[in-house]
Amino acid sequence: MASKTATFIVLALYIAIMVGIGIYTSRRTKSSDDFILGGRNVGSWLTAFSYGTTYFSAVVFIGYAGQFGWMYGLSASWVGIGNAVIGSLIPFFLLGRRARLMSNHLNARTMPEFFEKRFDSSSLKTVSALIVFIFLIPYTASVYNGLSKLFGMIFDLGENGHIYIIALMALLSAAYVMLGGYKATALNDFFQGIIMLIGIGTVVALTVSGKNGLAEAADALNNISDSKTESGTLGSLFGPDPINLFGVVILTSLGTWGLPQMVQKFYAIKNEDAIKKGAVISTIFALVVAGGCYFTGGFVRLYNNDTTGAAFDANGAPIYDQMIPELLKQAMPNILIGLIIVLVLSASLSTLSSLVLTSSSTLTNDLIKPRIKNFSDKKQMLTMRILIAVFLIISVVIACNKNAQISTLMSYSWGALSGAFLGPFLFGLFMKKASKAACWASFFTGVGISIAHMVLFSLGISAFDGLKADVIALNCPLNLLSPINAGAFAMIVSILIVPVVSLFTSSPDKKVVDNAFSSLTVKE
């Protein structure tokens, strides 16, 4: 009882600080540019922490760490390393400066607006804005889903308790984003990032010590085998299935290069020096947080070895989203449960705030503003606040579906978004001959692959059962039915299709291209 009281006190303090930051920053948010990008004057530490906390949420800590820790053992840690190097370090150095200079020069506040002005096409802006709004929803729902799993385990809220938790988190994230916009998000992200670093370090230490140290825990993992996993692989360097593990690394790492909520951080950063510092800070942050999450996930089989437990269904099949909550239940002393709650809350609310801000600003700036005359700055800010509420309500409805698996929701979201945008954004920054037709090709293939996979395989339509069985019968080492691999495939196609199509189609008007690339000659 005392531990629950302490948990409620910690939660109350945390919520008060979040809302307080929202109120504080609301007084400094005077325009729509402040609301969307913080006035393009955000420093290295705030940018790096905002990037990292947007990147990692309950999806990673509860969903992905549980699922891939069960499937790949300690080798799941490679996902965290990939997130740090491919998902954080490289995009800061490769994309950061160009994205900042070109978006500022073109006065592009969102990714769809960048596509419009870089490729001279208002249609690209309209369609990409719709893609952003639609496919950020399942990702947001997956974050709520992860939160509800943890809260349900700790507070024993009953069959429908997850609905109340999801609704409460939606209200909290809406409150401070509506108040302060990007500035509130960035400042809260910094505070939440510190909590995440402390929390993950504590979880890793207690998880390992709970199984008598790393060496003994690795030996215990190597002694586990089942129909899909050979003995001696779960504690090994590359695990039982390195090929499909590589697909996870690609989806969760390369995906950040084309996600609007991630690259928009580069639009807002102060200067080139802040980009360099931010690269180092964000990489270290990702190594600790993502590496710690997946490393912890590698031990879930040691903490979930009873198939009659809460992490298994009636047939003894693993319920991946319950793996980490059950591990925490056993590994963490009751007195520290409040820290874990705040850890997952911090990871999730920081991501949610960026998602809802990206979605509402994109819809307002790129779909509504061009179609309404005399759409003043105050009306824009009001519209964005209303759309934040609309976006959250839709996400909450989806998240309340108990059968929605966290990793699947995120995979389709990232696969569609980055599969559509990665190539156009990357080559838009580097390749003068990148064409409008190539952008359309990437949009259609990225979204098309995700939707086709969703319909053909994930919805279980009986007409495709034979096809499904044929694919399984091929015994291909790469699991073609995995939403994760489908998303990774869409991203790779996007990178390949843009330069190929650009070779055979005309680039935008030379004046438009020269104007965009003239921004890169600026010395800071």
Side-chain angles (χ1 to χ4, degrees):
M1 184 67 179
S3 64
K4 282 194 175 182
T5 301
T7 299
F8 280 119
I9 292 172
V10 170
L11 272 174
L13 286 171
Y14 173 81
I15 291 170
I17 291 171
M18 294 296 98
V19 176
I21 289 174
I23 294 170
Y24 170 77
T25 52
S26 67
R27 298 169 184 171
R28 288 158 175 77
T29 303
K30 305 297 184 183
S31 67
S32 59
D33 199 54
D34 287 340
F35 195 87
I36 297 172
L37 294 175
R40 297 184 189 266
N41 194 35
V42 182
S44 56
W45 282 89
L46 288 184
T47 298
F49 271 65
S50 184
Y51 187 93
T53 54
T54 299
Y55 197 166
F56 309 115
S57 66
V59 172
V60 172
F61 190 62
I62 302 297
Y64 272 25
Q67 178 172 346
F68 303 128
W70 177 273
M71 293 169 66
Y72 306 121
L74 288 181
S75 66
S77 302
W78 283 109
V79 183
I81 295 171
N83 292 171
V85 177
I86 303 172
S88 297
L89 181 66
I90 294 176
F92 261 85
F93 280 118
L94 182 67
L95 306 176
R97 179 179 180 273
R98 285 176 175 257
R100 177 185 172 276
L101 290 175
M102 200 176 287
S103 67
N104 197 3
H105 179 72
L106 296 175
N107 194 28
R109 301 189 295 180
T110 64
M111 184 178 273
E113 195 168 27
F114 172 84
F115 290 143
E116 177 196 32
K117 294 182 177 179
R118 167 63 182 84
F119 296 101
D120 193 25
S121 172
S122 58
S123 298
L124 281 177
K125 179 173 78 168
T126 300
V127 172
S128 57
L130 287 171
I131 293 172
V132 169
F133 186 80
I134 292 169
F135 285 98
L136 279 182
I137 289 173
Y139 185 25
T140 307
S142 70
V143 177
Y144 285 130
N145 218 327
L147 276 173
S148 67
K149 293 287 193 301
L150 183 66
F151 272 80
M153 179 272 290
I154 290 174
F155 294 112
D156 191 22
L157 298 172
E159 185 178 352
N160 295 317
H162 69 293
I163 297 175
Y164 303 115
I165 293 300
I166 290 169
L168 179 62
M169 293 308 102
L171 288 172
L172 179 57
S173 56
Y176 73 79
V177 179
M178 283 182 177
L179 285 168
Y182 190 91
K183 289 181 179 178
T185 300
L187 204 54
N188 268 320
D189 286 349
F190 183 74
F191 172 70
Q192 290 164 335
I194 293 171
I195 294 173
M196 288 168 68
L197 290 172
I198 296 170
I200 288 294
T202 304
V203 169
V204 169
L206 291 174
T207 299
V208 174
S209 65
K211 294 301 174 182
N212 303 314
L214 180 58
E216 195 165 322
D219 288 340
L221 284 169
N222 278 327
N223 290 329
I224 296 173
S225 63
D226 56 33
S227 59
K228 296 181 180 178
T229 307
E230 294 181 9
S231 177
T233 58
L234 288 172
S236 65
L237 184 62
F238 295 108
D241 189 3
I243 294 177
N244 283 298
L245 176 62
F246 181 69
V248 180
V249 173
I250 292 298
L251 177 86
T252 62
S253 303
L254 189 62
T256 61
W257 298 24
L259 293 175
Q261 72 270 22
M262 302 301 295
V263 299
Q264 209 160 314
K265 308 299 181 188
F266 302 135
Y267 296 6
I269 199 166
K270 186 188 296 185
N271 53 40
E272 188 171 355
D273 186 53
I275 292 172
K276 294 175 182 177
K277 291 178 182 177
V280 176
I281 298 165
S282 68
T283 303
I284 295 171
F285 184 90
L287 277 173
V288 174
V289 174
C293 283
Y294 289 108
F295 180 74
T296 299
F299 297 101
V300 291
R301 288 195 185 231
L302 301 183
Y303 285 91
N304 293 280
N305 50 16
D306 180 5
T307 56
T308 63
F312 298 87
D313 63 20
N315 298 318
I319 303 172
Y320 298 126
D321 295 349
Q322 292 290 352
M323 291 290 168
I324 293 295
E326 287 299 312
L327 179 152
L328 294 173
K329 201 172 183 180
Q330 297 175 49
M332 302 296 293
N334 289 336
I335 195 67
L336 291 179
I337 290 298
L339 173 64
I340 301 307
I341 286 287
V342 172
L343 158 65
V344 181
L345 257 182
S346 296
S348 301
L349 288 179
S350 55
T351 300
L352 288 169
S353 62
S354 288
L355 295 179
V356 298
L357 185 59
T358 299
S359 179
S360 64
S361 61
T362 297
L363 215 59
T364 302
N365 192 70
D366 304 324
L367 283 181
I368 298 174
K369 182 182 175 182
R371 291 163 176 79
I372 296 181
K373 292 182 180 179
N374 302 319
F375 198 43
S376 67
D377 213 53
K378 286 186 178 180
K379 289 180 180 178
Q380 289 179 53
M381 292 174 68
L382 176 62
T383 303
M384 281 187 277
R385 287 174 167 131
I386 293 171
L387 287 173
I388 285 170
V390 172
F391 181 84
L392 287 172
I393 289 170
I394 297 171
S395 303
V396 165
V397 171
I398 294 173
C400 287
N401 176 9
K402 282 188 172 183
N403 296 320
Q405 188 169 308
I406 294 171
S407 64
T408 301
L409 288 170
M410 178 186 164
S411 297
Y412 283 130
S413 176
W414 279 42
L417 288 166
S418 204
F421 300 149
L422 199 163
F425 186 71
L426 176 64
F427 289 102
L429 293 174
F430 284 91
M431 183 180 174
K432 287 188 174 183
K433 291 186 178 297
S435 69
K436 179 170 63 175
C439 289
W440 284 118
S442 183
F443 286 7
F444 284 125
T445 54
V447 173
I449 289 169
S450 296
I451 292 178
H453 187 280
M454 196 185 306
V455 172
L456 292 176
F457 298 114
S458 298
L459 300 183
I461 298 174
S462 59
F464 299 103
D465 285 347
L467 175 61
K468 202 170 183 178
D470 290 341
V471 173
I472 295 172
L474 291 174
N475 198 25
C476 177
L478 181 64
N479 181 7
L480 300 175
L481 302 181
S482 164
I484 293 157
N485 288 336
F489 177 69
M491 294 173 193
I492 293 170
V493 169
S494 179
I495 292 176
L496 296 175
I497 202 170
V498 171
V500 171
V501 174
S502 295
L503 287 174
F504 301 100
T505 53
S506 58
S507 58
D509 184 87
K510 189 176 184 299
K511 288 184 179 179
V512 173
V513 176
D514 288 345
N515 176 51
F517 278 83
S518 68
S519 62
L520 304 180
T521 61
V522 175
K523 291 184 178 180
E524 297 186 276

